[in-house]
Amino acid sequence: MKYQIVHELPGRIRFRVDPAEAFSVREAAVVAALLETQPGIARAQANWRTRGVLVNFAPQSRDAVLMTMTALTKEFYGEIAAEMPAAPERQPGLAQILLGTAARVAFRSLFPLTVRNVMTAWRALPYFRRGLGSLVGRRRLNVSVLDAAAIAASMLQRDFRTASTVMYLLGLGDELEEWTHRRSRQNLSDSLQLKVDSVWLCGDDGVERKIPARLLKKGDRIVVRQGSMIPADGVVVGGEATVNQSTMTGESEPVHRTRDQSVFAGTILEEGELTVRVTALAGGTRVDEIARLIDESESRKALVQTRAERMADSLVPYNFLLAGLIFLFTRSVRRASAALMADYSCAIKLATPLTILTTMSAGVKQGVLIKGGKYLEALSAVDTVVFDKTGTLTVASPQVARVVPLNGSSRYDVLRIAACLEEHFPHSLARAVVRRAQDEGLKHEEEHDKLQYVVAHGIRSTLYGRQALIGSAHFVFDDERVACPAALKRKISAEARGATTLYLALGDKLAGVIYIEDPLRAEAKSVIGELRREGVRRVVMLTGDNDHTARHVASALGVNEYRAELLPAGKIDCIRRMTAAGSRVAMVGDGINDSPSLAAASVGVSLSSATDIAREVADVVLYQGLSKLPVARRLSCRAMAKIRRNYNGIVGVNSAIILLGVAGILSPGVSALLHNLFTLGVSLYSMKPVSGERED
């Protein structure tokens, strides 16, 4: 197998397989299974969509991993996959994980005490290996070492029951983390599927044949008609059409596509017909590029430790020092081991998750879903917020803003005639005109002759014996030669203020102008103002729309920085440059095209109306609209402030208890009681919800 190493840490490598050896869903499962059979490999994952392979292994087995990857050929794993049954692999759900843990505890209680103790000793071995690996391999005293020491101390005192309980709780946490990750990756994979089963292949003889989409090859010519999804990246070789690329580029309006222009897999052909020469298949399309960007960004994000872990790890050396001093002066293993289990980090590790869980619960009640503690931490530290435009700062639903009659026409007639002409066509601008006429109760029966639609330009017909035209300035003035003074053209353009302009002409005169815009969300400007008051120093807007529209929206919202005409790769590049410059970035977006940027940012935020993939990739989801973004920010800041207060309190009070105990003022029993009571008090305080409401 040909591959490249895209990311590596001790004991962990991520590979990217060569496109020529890309594997199917079933083959990916075989590749992962074959890798996991090799000595030294603890776990392997293969992603068919991104052509990625992630391997966790013993540090001394790196060369064996590389040799195994090289030896795996497509012929080998493909033959095995072909013989596999078609039934999908069933993964355990959350209820099964919890019930499984309970069942194991109950089953273990059936064995005699001696057998249970042997089982506990066997189960402790992985914890000892991890602890020794951190201590010896990486020379770090962290929570893994402390866990191993606490389990070992319990076993040395023959307290196997305590050791077993600790291991069950640690194991349950690992299983829940794995379940969350697996579900997230599966949902991501499902969201990225194009769901195109068949395509129309245009043969060399000009005859069209319907074939399964999986049989497409590079260089094939396919015909895509109105209402269909484009199944592969390609170049137009015939026809013309309007294509809705909002999922890929963020453009609020459909774009005109004709010969020699590119089209993307996953976009929708709204009007017209295209013949497309395929340039990229599954594994190499723009959609797959998005998947790879997400995959790579997530691998970097996974290296960030939560604040609770860092706090606990920083205190571990002091726990060992304290235990050593106690043993040195008392020669009591029991008293020394108590310092390992009743320590600073124990209270921190208990209070911090309670604060996080309580805050997450409070967030849900206030319309904010925060997916984990590290995202609370990241959101509280954000100093830069980046917004996508279409669908995030705007409502992504074109509406008629103004109707301006000219040359003696009435506003009533301009809107009525425009709706009469446009009602036959399903594109978004036409729907906006028809919807506005309906809202105003205007009747627009068909009074025109046969319509001639010019793709991406306009409509030509005859009404009351006069030519009727509606469309773009280029269509009405340049193609159809309707006269319009230059001063009037400049005035119309100046008054557009970022809106799309439709021109209606009757006979040889311009009858009126209709301005259509994607309106701003009512709350957008106030949200930006609140964020600045909450300490966000920089607000940036990124969009695939043209510079004129972007400038108007930015000006209306008071946004000083914007970037226009960006593809997904351009957006993620902007995010990475900001991050590299030291900014802590939150990205707010709603489309497939925003997903890589959501994953690359310190924290990604989406709306409940966003695409499935954007909601899946986002770290925070606003279920009650954009107005909840400042609420999410305040929740995170207050939660982290509470965690810091807990940290200071735990260190201060426990230090006082220890000092009083060493001085002989408190007996060991009273010290333990006070420690436990204080831990309980901190936990109850941590469970008190924080508010996301603004405190005036």
Side-chain angles (χ1 to χ4, degrees):
M1 179 188 294
K2 294 181 180 178
Y3 59 82
Q4 61 176 335
I5 297 174
V6 295
H7 191 266
E8 182 172 2
L9 289 171
R12 184 177 185 270
I13 297 182
R14 186 180 295 277
F15 300 94
R16 182 82 63 226
V17 176
D18 188 89
E21 298 188 82
F23 30 72
S24 65
V25 177
R26 195 178 300 183
E27 289 171 342
V30 173
V31 169
L34 289 172
L35 285 167
E36 288 184 347
T37 63
Q38 303 305 305
I41 296 181
R43 181 184 176 200
Q45 299 175 73
N47 188 315
W48 70 274
R49 169 64 73 180
T50 65
R51 305 195 318 276
V53 179
L54 178 63
V55 181
N56 295 87
F57 57 93
Q60 67 272 18
S61 301
R62 183 180 185 277
D63 291 342
V65 171
L66 299 181
M67 290 176 61
T68 303
M69 282 291 294
T70 303
L72 281 176
T73 63
K74 189 170 182 64
E75 292 77 12
F76 180 60
Y77 60 74
E79 183 177 344
I80 297 175
E83 298 175 358
M84 289 175 58
E89 180 184 0
R90 298 188 63 180
Q91 300 289 355
L94 180 59
Q96 288 175 281
I97 291 172
L98 296 175
L99 289 173
T101 299
R104 287 193 293 273
V105 173
F107 180 69
R108 180 180 175 277
S109 66
L110 300 176
F111 290 90
L113 178 61
T114 303
V115 176
R116 292 203 303 269
N117 291 347
V118 172
M119 293 168 64
T120 298
W122 177 259
R123 288 172 48 227
L125 292 177
Y127 294 97
F128 295 155
R129 281 199 296 268
R130 281 199 292 271
L132 288 172
S134 296
L135 185 62
V136 178
R138 294 190 289 276
R139 297 183 180 180
R140 291 181 57 192
L141 279 176
N142 56 20
V143 176
S144 293
V145 179
L146 192 63
D147 289 339
I151 294 169
S154 296
M155 294 174 64
L156 286 172
Q157 298 174 75
R158 306 188 64 79
D159 187 0
F160 287 87
R161 184 174 182 178
T162 298
S164 179
T165 301
V166 170
M167 286 187 286
Y168 272 122
L169 291 174
L170 293 173
L172 178 61
D174 290 341
E175 286 192 75
L176 292 177
E177 182 180 352
E178 169 61 21
W179 171 78
T180 302
H181 177 77
R182 186 172 58 242
R183 186 184 64 170
S184 174
R185 297 306 304 172
Q186 184 59 50
N187 289 343
L188 174 61
S189 179
D190 292 343
S191 298
L192 286 171
Q193 291 188 41
L194 294 179
K195 298 179 177 63
V196 177
D197 298 323
S198 59
V199 297
W200 288 97
L201 181 68
C202 184
D204 294 335
D205 54 3
V207 177
E208 296 179 20
R209 296 184 294 118
K210 191 175 184 180
I211 65 169
R214 57 185 170 79
L215 297 182
L216 267 181
K217 303 186 299 295
K218 279 187 180 181
D220 282 348
R221 291 184 301 153
I222 55 175
V223 178
V224 187
R225 295 185 170 86
Q226 182 171 315
S228 298
M229 177 182 287
I230 297 175
D233 288 3
V235 175
V236 178
V237 295
E240 61 177 329
T242 54
V243 179
N244 186 335
Q245 296 188 153
S246 60
T247 58
M248 197 58 53
T249 66
E251 294 165 292
S252 56
E253 302 298 338
V255 296
H256 180 220
R257 284 292 175 262
T258 187
R259 191 177 184 86
D260 296 330
Q261 292 184 315
S262 297
V263 291
F264 304 128
T267 57
I268 304 296
L269 194 150
E270 286 200 350
E271 297 174 275
E273 179 178 308
L274 295 177
T275 301
V276 177
R277 176 172 52 81
V278 175
T279 58
L281 299 171
T285 66
R286 183 62 57 83
V287 170
D288 298 305
E289 179 185 345
I290 289 174
R292 284 193 292 274
L293 289 170
I294 294 168
D295 201 34
E296 292 167 6
S297 295
E298 285 190 338
S299 71
R300 285 189 293 272
K301 186 179 290 184
L303 302 176
V304 180
Q305 291 183 309
T306 65
R307 182 177 294 274
E309 291 169 340
R310 293 200 299 271
M311 287 180 178
D313 282 348
S314 68
L315 292 173
V316 168
Y318 298 100
N319 296 130
F320 280 104
L321 177 61
L322 176 62
L325 290 173
I326 291 174
F327 180 76
L328 179 64
F329 288 104
T330 66
R331 301 297 176 179
S332 170
V333 175
R334 179 176 294 274
R335 292 180 63 182
S337 65
L340 301 177
M341 289 185 284
D343 57 0
Y344 296 102
S345 64
C346 177
I348 291 173
K349 287 192 290 184
L350 179 61
T352 300
L354 286 174
T355 301
I356 289 169
L357 290 172
T358 302
T359 304
M360 290 169 62
S361 177
V364 170
K365 293 177 182 177
Q366 297 176 57
V368 175
L369 173 63
I370 302 173
K371 296 183 179 180
K374 64 182 177 181
Y375 308 125
L376 272 173
E377 182 181 11
L379 189 56
S380 71
V382 160
D383 56 21
T384 301
V385 176
V386 176
F387 289 95
D388 168 56
K389 181 184 78 69
T390 305
T392 303
L393 294 174
T394 68
V395 297
S397 177
Q399 298 177 14
V400 173
R402 284 168 294 146
V403 179
V404 180
L406 298 168
N407 294 318
S409 298
S410 68
R411 181 185 180 283
Y412 172 91
D413 283 336
V414 170
L415 184 56
R416 181 180 62 83
I417 293 171
C420 180
L421 296 170
E422 293 280 16
E423 67 179 343
H424 300 278
F425 301 96
H427 60 73
S428 54
L429 299 184
R431 288 194 295 268
V433 172
V434 173
R435 187 166 54 248
R436 182 59 175 265
Q438 291 173 341
D439 291 345
E440 296 188 11
L442 302 183
K443 295 182 179 180
H444 47 88
E445 295 87 353
E446 290 192 18
E447 299 172 334
H448 53 75
D449 289 342
K450 183 177 179 180
L451 296 172
Q452 181 181 358
Y453 178 68
V454 182
V455 175
H457 287 75
I459 299 169
R460 182 189 299 114
S461 187
T462 303
L463 183 67
Y464 312 137
R466 295 184 296 172
Q467 178 175 257
L469 304 168
I470 187 168
S472 65
H474 175 75
F475 172 64
V476 173
F477 301 138
D478 299 338
D479 294 349
E480 299 299 327
R481 306 292 183 184
V482 173
C484 182
L488 180 57
K489 286 184 181 179
R490 288 194 296 271
K491 181 181 178 183
I492 292 170
S493 178
E495 292 180 351
R497 297 193 294 273
T500 300
T501 309
L502 282 180
Y503 296 85
L504 175 68
L506 297 175
D508 59 354
K509 292 183 178 180
L510 187 63
V513 178
I514 300 176
Y515 294 103
I516 299 177
E517 62 183 20
D518 185 9
L520 299 176
R521 290 186 182 271
E523 69 273 26
K525 189 169 185 177
S526 64
V527 165
I528 291 171
E530 276 196 73
L531 289 174
R532 285 179 171 142
R533 287 191 291 274
E534 292 293 330
V536 175
R537 62 177 179 79
R538 186 180 180 192
V539 177
V540 183
M541 184 183 76
L542 304 180
T543 180
D545 248 337
N546 62 73
D547 185 78
H548 182 68
T549 300
R551 188 187 315 116
H552 170 72
V553 171
S555 175
L557 295 175
V559 175
N560 298 325
E561 290 185 66
Y562 72 88
R563 307 285 188 278
E565 301 177 4
L566 293 176
L567 288 172
K571 290 184 179 182
I572 197 172
D573 186 55
C574 287
I575 298 291
R576 286 176 176 170
R577 285 203 304 271
M578 293 177 194
T579 303
S583 297
R584 287 158 292 188
V585 182
M587 170 70 190
V588 189
D590 74 320
I592 291 177
N593 59 301
D594 301 317
S595 302
S597 300
L598 291 173
S602 302
V603 57
V605 183
S606 76
L607 308 178
S608 60
S609 57
T611 60
D612 290 343
I613 184 174
R615 290 199 307 274
E616 185 65 36
V617 171
D619 309 314
V620 178
V621 180
L622 309 176
Y623 277 97
Q624 294 179 14
L626 190 64
S627 62
K628 294 299 180 178
L629 182 56
V631 172
R633 165 77 171 183
R634 284 191 287 270
L635 281 170
S636 65
C637 289
R638 291 170 186 172
M640 297 314 298
K642 177 179 279 191
I643 289 172
R644 286 191 292 271
R645 285 195 295 272
N646 283 342
Y647 176 79
N648 294 332
I650 290 166
V651 172
V653 172
N654 279 293
S655 295
I657 292 172
I658 292 169
L659 289 174
L660 291 172
V662 170
I665 298 174
L666 297 178
S667 68
V670 173
S671 298
L673 177 62
L674 290 177
H675 167 79
N676 289 327
L677 286 175
F678 178 71
T679 300
L680 178 61
V682 169
S683 300
L684 292 174
Y685 171 70
S686 299
M687 294 173 67
K688 182 181 178 182
V690 297
S691 172
E693 299 304 317
R694 193 173 177 194
E695 298 175 356
D696 296 322

